[in-house]
């Protein structure tokens, strides 16, 4: 199913429709402030396994991100963050970054793995954030990759729907996506170590 939601002013009923799908263990494709994401409710093990199958990866080796509404969610899934790091997060988010932190004990329970770190995303996209807010817990997410050798990420939601409609429960058309992913910043050692330069420029916030 393909539904259209406008990012400037997301329709509450449509957001709730998406949340209902997630609560039933559904898998969705949705827009972020960078590329389109493949996501599910982080508390649903079967949905997590479905995403792993779609991506052809093992759950214990998967580098998923948790999509959060705001910084209040983060402390549930990460070990304590120092004040300086938190101050920079507050300036950079919502934005096109994935910050990697040492995972709290909640994360291995959710993912059935021995994961020591977790990626946290707060995208600057109302559709993604409103879904998380209505769901009342984060979405587990991974990027949609394209088979095209030139464009690594799919940007057209209608083409994404054509490709994935038999694999997922819902595709949200939130307009054309970007083909540049988030900037991945590893904070697990106490420093800001950029391990993938993407759309976000961290220098602006340091």
């Amino acid at each position: 199913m393909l539904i259209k939601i406008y990012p400037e002013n997301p329709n509450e009923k449509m957001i709730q429709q998406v949340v209902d799908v997630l609560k039933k263990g559904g898998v969705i494709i949705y827009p972020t402030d960078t590329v389109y994401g493949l996501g599910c409710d982080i508390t649903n093990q079967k949905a997590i396994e479905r995403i792993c199958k779609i991506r052809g990866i093992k759950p214990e080796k998967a580098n998923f991100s948790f999509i959060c509404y705001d910084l209040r969610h983060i402390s549930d899934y990460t070990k304590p963050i120092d004040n300086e790091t938190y101050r920079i997060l507050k300036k950079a988010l919502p934005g096109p970054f994935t910050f990697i932190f040492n995972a709290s004990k909640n994360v291995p329970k959710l993912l059935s793995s021995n994961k020591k770190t977790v990626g946290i995303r707060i995208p600057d996209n109302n559709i993604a954030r409103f879904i998380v807010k209505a769901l009342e817990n984060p979405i587990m997410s991974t990027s949609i990759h394209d088979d095209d050798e030139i464009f690594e990420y799919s940007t057209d939601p209608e083409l994404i729907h054509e490709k994935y409609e038999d694999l997922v429960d819902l595709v949200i058309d939130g307009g054309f996506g970007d083909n540049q992913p988030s900037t991945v910043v590893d904070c697990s050692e106490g420093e800001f170590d950029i391990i993938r330069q993407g759309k976000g420029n961290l220098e602006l916030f340091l």
Side-chain angles (χ1 to χ4, degrees):
M1 177 169 43
L2 179 68
I3 64 169
K4 177 84 178 172
I5 300 179
Y6 294 95
E8 300 78 22
N9 191 19
N11 181 290
E12 275 185 44
K13 283 186 180 175
M14 286 185 165
I15 293 290
Q16 191 56 50
Q17 186 182 342
V18 177
V19 168
D20 291 344
V21 168
L22 290 169
K23 284 184 173 175
K24 289 173 187 167
V27 171
I28 67 167
I29 292 175
Y30 66 98
T32 72
D33 53 352
T34 57
V35 300
Y36 268 78
L38 182 65
C40 70
D41 185 334
I42 60 167
T43 64
N44 192 298
Q45 193 61 41
K46 284 189 177 175
I48 292 171
E49 287 166 9
R50 270 183 70 193
I51 287 183
C52 289
K53 198 172 178 184
I54 291 167
R55 286 294 310 274
I57 45 182
K58 292 179 179 177
E60 63 272 17
K61 292 189 175 177
N63 289 317
F64 294 122
S65 300
F66 286 10
I67 305 290
C68 300
Y69 175 71
D70 57 23
L71 289 170
R72 283 175 295 181
H73 272 133
I74 290 180
S75 59
D76 295 335
Y77 307 105
T78 68
K79 288 185 177 175
I81 297 169
D82 66 70
N83 289 339
E84 177 63 15
T85 301
Y86 191 83
R87 184 182 66 78
I88 288 164
L89 293 182
K90 221 171 167 184
K91 288 197 288 184
L93 298 172
F97 298 95
T98 301
F99 288 99
I100 298 172
F101 295 102
N102 292 308
S104 72
K105 288 178 182 176
N106 291 337
V107 173
K109 287 177 195 166
L110 293 167
L111 296 179
S112 301
S113 72
N114 296 317
K115 257 200 152 356
K116 302 285 192 295
T117 58
V118 60
I120 298 291
R121 277 273 278 133
I122 304 175
D124 189 12
N125 179 287
N126 286 338
I127 297 170
R129 291 180 67 229
F130 283 22
I131 290 167
V132 170
K133 189 177 186 183
L135 182 63
E136 297 183 333
N137 60 251
I139 294 172
M140 200 197 72
S141 183
T142 182
S143 300
I144 292 290
H145 283 258
D146 207 320
D147 298 327
D148 192 300
E149 290 179 7
I150 300 169
F151 295 106
E152 191 180 350
Y153 298 94
S154 303
T155 60
D156 184 335
E158 291 189 8
L159 293 178
I160 292 170
H161 177 250
E162 277 179 33
K163 184 175 177 181
Y164 289 95
E165 64 179 319
D166 295 330
L167 299 172
V168 303
D169 300 281
L170 185 70
V171 177
I172 299 168
D173 177 353
F176 273 85
D178 207 320
N179 64 356
Q180 195 177 14
S182 64
T183 295
V184 180
V185 186
D186 188 348
C187 304
S188 61
E189 301 290 333
E191 302 287 327
F192 290 95
D193 183 17
I194 294 174
I195 57 176
R196 180 183 73 192
Q197 183 61 54
K199 190 176 177 182
N201 181 5
L202 193 64
E203 291 294 323
L204 298 174
F205 307 102
L206 295 177

